[in-house]
Amino acid sequence: MPVTTIDGHQITVDTEGFMTDYAEWDEPLGASLAAQIGIALSDQHWEAIRFLRKDFAVKGETPTLRRVSVVGAIPTKTLFQLFPQKPAKKMAYIAGLPKPHGCV
Amino acid sequence: MKKRLVVLGAGTAGTMVVNRLRPLLPAQDWDITVVDRDDEHRYQPGYLFLPFGTYTEKQVTRPRHTVLADGVDFMIGDVDVIHPETNVVALMDGRVLTYEYLVIASGTSPRPDQTPGMLGEQWRRSIFDFYTYDGAVALREALKGFDHGRLVVHITDMPIKCPVAPLEFTFLAEAWLREHGLRDRVELVFVTPLPGAFTKPIASARLGSMLEERKIVLEADFLLEHIDAETKTLVSYDEREVPFDLLVTVPLNMGADFVARSGLGDELNYVPVDKHTLLSTAHDTIFAVGDACDIPASKAGSVAHFSVEIFADNFLQHIAGQPMTGSFDGHTNCFIESGDHKGLLIDFNYDTEPLPGKFPLPVIGPMDLLKETRANHLGKLAFRWIYWNVLLPGRPMPLPSHMSMLGKSTDDLSKNEE
């Protein structure tokens, strides 16, 4: 697995840049990752990112958009506004979680 | 005191569970009761062929009680709720079943009611599904009268039952239109929430180029918010629009509502289980098999089959108080119809994506993996006989439950990683 440095944080990532070690992440790093893909994190963004982190810790899987909307109570429409075009991928990237497979 | 195993659902998975376990559980010690809503067992892979008139209704239906082993009690009824703390299943009509162990095998169902605008006056007029028996039959009638316009094949959200079926339907529709001299008058569009034609990279690239060769437009990353029935348009959450004249959609798939009522389900009513043993993560007297559970594998009959083989031996260990030694690896094996009497075959598991090669034997095959051949098409057709006569009765199949790397080519994989 490649190691890369973002804003002084040394992190392990997969070939697409998704972090592979849950423990290497903290919120300042999340903000730096968001900036990498052109997103400035508001409170609403953070609500989604914190849900992803919390849910992954319990389930061991990156939650799907449906799970974020049903369990995390953030409407899908809002997620598309906050993380345009590819919300599931973008949220996972910022939250330092594996790319969601969601689908098999 | 006799013990009782209750199985909810007499579909592919539930039927295989009771048929495998009946000879293994002594009849003087164990009752086995299986509950379903009706007595009609459908060969669901056959739904794909109903709209094109390849299969008739009769070929895809048998009474459930005729495919259940002797010594299995079959009850017809709707499940109201499971009480896992007291090991009780309550049916809608007031009957109550107690169990020592419970297997939830109630599958997954298309839910057009979950998308605004899907059910309504265009439902079964210009909007069809083919994942239900009624839908597949209604679509057959609609295709008879369809001679021009935009035919849109659409997946609402993942996961869905048999994730290759929408592609197969698209390939078969394209071939069918050509046969009927209509291909030039019809625009074919494949709309998916996935970033490409399929979920796994190598298969997705292969299947994507098959769409291209057939001049089928791929609309990817499209997550449906609602259908505007008046203008006959699919509208996504990011406000993209896809108009249709005839829509063949796969509605959102969800597990049974009684799973949710019993507090046993996730956000799509699937039962969280250990992905290697299918034991509920919440109750050690409950298993969930087949499409009803949340394992990260395809919702497919082959997954049900391979996992039930491992489950049966595990179950005997579990009820004897021993650790379960069998471990399901997510093995999946699917034929993909591609039209013109050809098909592909894919074979994969939790860790290995579908790869090209030969199956089941290296070099010899006779099946080719990820490649269109006539043999694969014949395999798919032969499978209907195997399903009724080998798979459901629980007779041994000459295929290992665990996926094998023998015969698979990993060249594409290493290219991918570079």
Side-chain angles (χ1 to χ4, degrees), chain B residues 9-74:
Chain B
T12 305
T15 301
M16 287 190 294
V17 163
V18 297
N19 288 353
R20 296 277 301 193
L21 285 180
R22 185 63 283 181
L24 300 175
L25 295 173
Q28 67 270 22
D29 301 330
W30 282 91
D31 283 327
I32 301 181
T33 302
V34 59
V35 183
D36 209 306
R37 275 180 302 214
D38 57 41
D39 193 20
E40 285 176 335
H41 187 119
R42 308 280 192 193
Y43 174 60
Q44 295 183 68
Y47 289 176
L48 176 67
F49 296 107
L50 283 176
F52 304 104
T54 319
Y55 281 173
T56 60
E57 285 92 329
K58 271 192 179 161
Q59 288 173 304
V60 301
T61 312
R62 289 195 184 177
R64 293 190 200 275
H65 71 267
T66 63
V67 294
L68 294 169
D70 289 343
V72 171
D73 301 319
F74 176 46

Side-chain angles (χ1 to χ4, degrees), chain B residues 75-141:
Chain B
M75 278 176 81
I76 294 182
D78 273 305
V79 177
D80 179 11
V81 69
I82 300 161
H83 300 289
E85 312 306 335
T86 48
N87 291 13
V88 166
V89 177
L91 303 188
M92 290 286 194
D93 58 16
R95 284 180 292 174
V96 166
L97 284 164
T98 57
Y99 61 81
E100 265 69 28
Y101 289 93
L102 179 71
V103 174
I104 300 173
S106 40
T108 181
S109 308
R111 294 290 295 268
D113 58 306
Q114 298 290 314
T115 300
M118 196 178 278
L119 283 179
E121 62 178 50
Q122 288 303 319
W123 182 248
R124 304 266 162 95
R125 288 176 64 145
S126 63
I127 304 176
F128 293 85
D129 69 321
F130 70 94
Y131 273 65
T132 57
Y133 175 79
D134 294 344
V137 171
L139 179 56
R140 181 179 66 198
E141 299 312 307

Side-chain angles (χ1 to χ4, degrees), chain A residues 24-36:
Chain A
E24 282 179 357
W25 189 91
D26 57 25
E27 293 206 348
L29 174 60
S32 306
L33 289 167
Q36 295 268 324

Side-chain angles (χ1 to χ4, degrees), chain B residues 53-363:
Chain B
T54 319
Y55 281 173
T56 60
E57 285 92 329
K58 271 192 179 161
Q59 288 173 304
V60 301
T61 312
R62 289 195 184 177
R64 293 190 200 275
H65 71 267
T66 63
V67 294
L68 294 169
D70 289 343
V72 171
D73 301 319
F74 176 46
M75 278 176 81
I76 294 182
D78 273 305
V79 177
D80 179 11
V81 69
I82 300 161
H83 300 289
E85 312 306 335
T86 48
N87 291 13
V88 166
V89 177
L91 303 188
M92 290 286 194
D93 58 16
R95 284 180 292 174
V96 166
L97 284 164
T98 57
Y99 61 81
E100 265 69 28
Y101 289 93
L102 179 71
V103 174
I104 300 173
S106 40
T108 181
S109 308
R111 294 290 295 268
D113 58 306
Q114 298 290 314
T115 300
M118 196 178 278
L119 283 179
E121 62 178 50
Q122 288 303 319
W123 182 248
R124 304 266 162 95
R125 288 176 64 145
S126 63
I127 304 176
F128 293 85
D129 69 321
F130 70 94
Y131 273 65
T132 57
Y133 175 79
D134 294 344
V137 171
L139 179 56
R140 181 179 66 198
E141 299 312 307
L143 279 177
K144 282 181 190 162
F146 183 71
D147 60 2
H148 72 283
R150 276 172 70 89
L151 171 55
V152 175
V153 183
H154 164 254
I155 300 169
T156 303
D157 202 355
M158 301 301 285
I160 57 168
K161 184 154 42 180
C162 193
V164 293
L167 277 170
E168 296 182 277
F169 179 85
T170 310
F171 294 143
L172 289 176
E174 198 275 338
W176 184 88
L177 290 166
R178 256 187 292 117
E179 275 165 37
H180 289 75
L182 298 170
R183 184 63 187 95
D184 292 343
R185 308 180 58 187
V186 175
E187 200 179 342
L188 249 175
V189 187
F190 185 77
V191 184
T192 171
L194 296 171
F198 193 55
T199 53
K200 314 275 181 155
I202 294 173
S204 184
R206 176 74 200 102
L207 294 163
S209 62
M210 284 172 60
L211 289 175
E212 241 169 76
E213 286 158 19
R214 289 162 173 76
K215 302 198 164 44
I216 297 162
V217 179
L218 174 67
E219 191 78 44
D221 285 317
F222 188 98
L223 193 60
L224 180 67
E225 188 199 26
H226 72 276
I227 297 178
D228 187 332
E230 215 162 284
T231 59
K232 294 197 199 169
T233 308
L234 298 171
V235 184
S236 72
Y237 280 103
D238 53 356
E239 284 153 29
R240 285 147 67 200
E241 297 189 347
V242 175
F244 60 85
D245 294 301
L246 181 62
L247 175 67
V248 179
T249 186
V250 182
L252 181 69
N253 277 210
M254 290 176 80
D257 283 333
F258 73 75
V259 171
R261 283 198 293 272
S262 310
L264 292 170
D266 67 8
E267 67 281 4
L268 286 170
N269 302 350
Y270 298 128
V271 183
V273 296
D274 178 275
K275 70 177 184 178
H276 299 298
T277 64
L278 312 183
L279 181 65
S280 156
T281 53
H283 303 278
D284 73 352
T285 51
I286 300 181
F287 290 84
V289 302
D291 296 347
C293 70
D294 77 336
I295 59 171
S298 290
K299 296 201 175 295
S302 61
V303 172
H305 165 68
F306 295 130
S307 63
V308 164
E309 294 213 329
I310 287 158
F311 160 79
D313 294 333
N314 274 349
F315 184 76
L316 298 180
Q317 293 173 330
H318 189 64
I319 60 175
Q322 297 159 0
M324 294 183 275
T325 52
S327 176
F328 180 54
D329 66 350
H331 189 189
T332 313
N333 182 282
C334 308
F335 288 107
I336 307 175
E337 279 291 289
S338 57
D340 303 308
H341 311 291
K342 288 183 184 168
L344 294 80
L345 180 64
I346 54 176
D347 190 66
F348 56 108
N349 70 10
Y350 288 141
D351 305 316
T352 307
E353 63 171 308
L355 296 170
K358 292 279 187 184
F359 184 87
L361 298 170
V363 189

Side-chain angles (χ1 to χ4, degrees), chain A residues 2 6 41 62 95:
Chain A
I6 287 178
L41 295 175
T62 306

Side-chain angles (χ1 to χ4, degrees), chain A residues 8-99:
Chain A
H9 299 77
Q10 227 184 37
I11 53 171
T12 332
V13 295
D14 69 8
T15 47
E16 290 180 85
F18 288 87
M19 287 178 64
T20 54
D21 185 349
Y22 184 87
E24 282 179 357
W25 189 91
D26 57 25
E27 293 206 348
L29 174 60
S32 306
L33 289 167
Q36 295 268 324
I37 54 171
I39 293 176
L41 295 175
S42 67
D43 288 351
Q44 254 191 320
H45 288 98
W46 275 116
E47 197 190 326
I49 298 303
R50 286 174 188 141
F51 172 77
L52 255 78
R53 294 286 301 177
K54 203 175 68 187
D55 197 60
F56 184 90
V58 181
K59 301 285 290 183
E61 301 261 356
T62 306
T64 59
L65 287 184
R66 184 161 298 273
R67 189 167 172 83
V68 180
S69 75
V70 175
V71 183
I74 308 169
T76 307
K77 188 88 186 168
T78 309
L79 296 174
F80 269 91
Q81 283 155 0
L82 293 170
F83 307 94
Q85 276 129 27
K86 299 196 180 218
K89 262 179 112 166
K90 286 183 176 175
M91 287 192 297
Y93 178 80
I94 296 168
L97 301 177
K99 189 170 96 170

